[in-house]
Amino acid sequence: IRRIVRFVSAQEKVDVVDILSARRPHWIVLPRQIAYYLARKLTLKSLPEIGRHVGARDHTTILHSVRKIDFLRSCDPILDEKLNRYTEMLRGPNV
């Protein structure tokens, strides 16, 4: 999960500290939700486990983020392509 957070941080040009913080400016929220989404999709960790690893978030926060990103993917082909690319990169050996 930490690897995913670091990866999203680098790709989205947002500090890891900001992703893990409680701050909610729009430029942090989407990368944070992307990190939660990828952690859920690419690991076998439960929602509470992911929440504990990403700044003591409640499992409902992670669930909300996953559902929101699923919805946004269906509406935004650019975001969908970005997430497909991130998934491929995270599954590959070069991260």
Side-chain angles (χ1 to χ4, degrees):
I1 293 172
R2 297 226 184 263
R3 185 177 132 221
I4 291 170
V5 171
R6 285 192 314 269
F7 173 83
V8 172
S9 169
Q11 295 298 313
E12 296 291 316
K13 297 173 179 50
V14 175
D15 288 337
V16 170
V17 172
D18 288 328
I19 290 178
L20 299 177
S21 77
R23 296 180 52 215
R24 296 189 296 182
H26 67 89
W27 56 274
I28 295 174
V29 172
L30 186 60
R32 178 184 294 149
Q33 289 178 331
I34 289 171
Y36 297 169
Y37 175 85
L38 291 171
R40 179 63 175 156
K41 298 298 182 181
L42 298 176
T43 70
L44 299 175
K45 303 294 184 185
S46 68
L47 295 172
E49 286 177 295
I50 294 169
R52 282 191 296 274
H53 279 86
V54 293
R57 299 294 196 280
D58 188 75
H59 74 280
T60 57
T61 301
I62 308 304
L63 181 60
H64 170 76
S65 295
V66 170
R67 288 178 175 167
K68 183 171 181 181
I69 296 298
D70 271 332
F71 173 75
L72 291 175
R73 277 188 94 160
S74 69
C75 300
D76 184 349
I78 294 170
L79 178 63
D80 184 54
E81 176 56 35
K82 179 192 289 191
L83 291 171
N84 287 335
R85 191 173 62 250
Y86 287 1
T87 299
E88 287 178 27
M89 292 168 77
L90 283 164
R91 285 186 175 157
N94 298 328
V95 175

